[in-house]
Amino acid sequence: MIYIKDLKNHVGETVTLKGWLFNKRSSGKVKFLILRDGTGYLQCVVFKGNVTPEVFELADHMGQETSFEITGKIKEEPRAIGGYEMDAVDLQVIGKSENYPITPKEHGVEFLIDHRHLWVRSRKQYAVLKIRHRIVKAIRDFFDERDFTLFDGPIITPNASEGTSTLFETPYFDLGKAYLTQSSQLYAEAGAMAFGKVYTFGPTFRAEKSKTRRHLTEFWMVEPEMAFYDLDDDMDLAEEFLEYIVQTVLEDRKEELKILERDTTKLESVVRPFPRISYDDAVKILHENGRDFEWGDDFGAPDEATISNQFDRPVMVHRYPAEVKAFYMKRDPENPKLALAVDVLAPEGYGEIIGGSQREDDYDTLVDRIKEHDLPLDFFQWYLDLRRYGSVPHSGFGLGLERTVAWICGIEHLREAIPFPRLIYRNTP
RNA sequence: UCCGCGUUAGCUCAAUGGUAGAGCAUUCGGCUGUUAACCGAAGGGUUGUAGGUUCAAGUCCUACACGCGGAGCCA
């Protein structure tokens, strides 16, 4: 099987390619069929004199997205998309396509999501999902090369790590209710005590009634967890990690970034060191920019945008008021009102892409925190075991895959960053 | 849950309260180098639903449904 991406090795040869009709133009006795095969696009030229009358007639009646097999000689052609072109001598339809809904003109969001199963064939969606795949591979490579062990958490969980209000619920045989995971972090902590450095990578589920371009009910998250790392070590890793992902995509997915018309200078500046500012500094920035903000609150989306707009690369905001953060985060020994937490805010208003912290490693303190948050102590006995048997300082963070994809691709909405988005009012197709 | 905007041809959108149109798609015709090709023609509508005001409603009013954007919450 020969694919379009490999045509540079077949110049001058007569080859047979298989794919779908992306677009078609004609001019009297010459027809241009744009073939799409999942690896690229190729303009196939059908001259009336080069093919049988039947084939020429057939070329005229193929609808958009018809699947077909075409044979012809490959030549270099700077005028054509991709730089190569085929002079066709034969053509065969594999599966016909009539009245394909997604035409080469503009469409609205609702229509496109209704046809998501077809929309992924479009050039821009194709580019986004190719980049998503490269990001996933970069994530795995990064941790694998640094001696992290993949240690996935369960999807079905018995309890909430931070309360049950935002969880999807499902009946579970005689045990009553179970929930879909909203984070594998607690399980990753168990892994870190076994393997030293681990990461989990999988889908997570949030039943939050968020109806914005930055939210999905099902999204993918990668969560590294490291024994003997403090908050500074955690931030060092997060910054190296983001630089690696962005620079890898810049290097490896130039073609796709071009299709997306991404301003790559905004990505080229994503190199270490990233600015690190405390929550207090961030509040100062908000006040200097005329925002009404009270110390102790968590940042809203417009606040995050104001902060991240001060910098040309991701900014790490650390040491948040403990009250707005999760129970498992360790307090700052120098100021017990603060949690040793860090959020990484992406540039260009893409918001929080990483949330992390140093974890509470003291048994008694953790028990107090669980009680303060009115969480059921019974459920956390296994988690407390990690503090009973050889507890160590440890840290980790979670990176939202779709937000990272959206940021790197420069797309408006998270729904385009995953093949089949799940939103509060949509679970089809 | 709250706030704002929207719903007209298969799609994207027009239409002072007065005969519902255009581009794309489709079908037919023309063109030997097109790049979202172009040119000509044809078909295609219970204007989201239910009421109301008016001589007259796509347009004004009310309710509902659905969609989009945002807030809160979060990755």
Side-chain angles (χ1 to χ4, degrees), chain A residues 246-254 257:
Chain A
V246 171
Q247 296 306 320
T248 299
V249 172
L250 266 176
E251 179 66 30
D252 249 31
R253 286 293 177 270
K254 291 191 176 75
L257 290 169

Side-chain angles (χ1 to χ4, degrees), chain A residues 40-52:
Chain A
Y41 302 86
L42 177 70
Q43 174 157 281
C44 303
V45 187
V46 184
F47 273 109
K48 194 169 188 178
N50 292 354
V51 297
T52 64

